[in-house]
Amino acid sequence: MEANTANFSEEQREFLDNDLGDRSNRIFNLWMEFLEIRKKASESDDEYIRCFNLIISEIGEEGKDIEKMMLLVLYNGLDPAMRIKMREQPEFPKTQQNLRVL
């Protein structure tokens, strides 16, 4: 569902487009953030767990998909050239086999 931006200024619309982007990119970026999350020295365990759970809740139902999670962990370990090649695809590979044929 697209937001109704008729009452927003051009600057506000640009901010929303840049900040939110499309759903698939937002979810992909959240997954990447999830894969990189580490407890900071200044954080309590509870703060870290809250941050971890917030990212998973923002990902939504997809965050419960263990197969997708494993593919993203695999993706995150690939060399940068392959990751760029995967990002250029119209959709993220759904299986390791789909990933291999790239």
Side-chain angles (χ1 to χ4, degrees), residues 34-58:
F34 171 77
L35 293 173
E36 298 296 325
I37 191 171
R38 303 288 183 273
K39 183 181 175 293
K40 297 176 186 93
S42 62
E43 277 182 317
S44 71
D45 290 340
D46 286 339
E47 289 170 324
Y48 170 70
I49 291 168
R50 248 190 318 276
C51 183
F52 178 94
N53 288 330
L54 177 63
I55 293 171
I56 290 296
S57 71
E58 289 179 11

Side-chain angles (χ1 to χ4, degrees), residues 39-101:
K39 183 181 175 293
K40 297 176 186 93
S42 62
E43 277 182 317
S44 71
D45 290 340
D46 286 339
E47 289 170 324
Y48 170 70
I49 291 168
R50 248 190 318 276
C51 183
F52 178 94
N53 288 330
L54 177 63
I55 293 171
I56 290 296
S57 71
E58 289 179 11
I59 291 171
E61 286 300 309
E62 206 175 298
K64 298 174 185 173
D65 184 347
I66 192 72
E67 303 234 351
K68 173 87 178 213
M69 194 177 298
M70 290 188 310
L71 276 173
L72 287 164
V73 169
L74 181 65
Y75 165 87
N76 204 43
L78 295 171
D79 62 77
M82 182 60 167
R83 292 193 330 225
I84 290 169
K85 186 175 181 180
M86 287 177 64
R87 289 297 305 264
E88 292 171 345
Q89 301 304 307
E91 69 177 23
F92 194 83
K94 294 187 182 350
T95 66
Q96 286 186 24
Q97 182 60 33
N98 293 136
L99 191 146
R100 283 189 194 112
V101 298

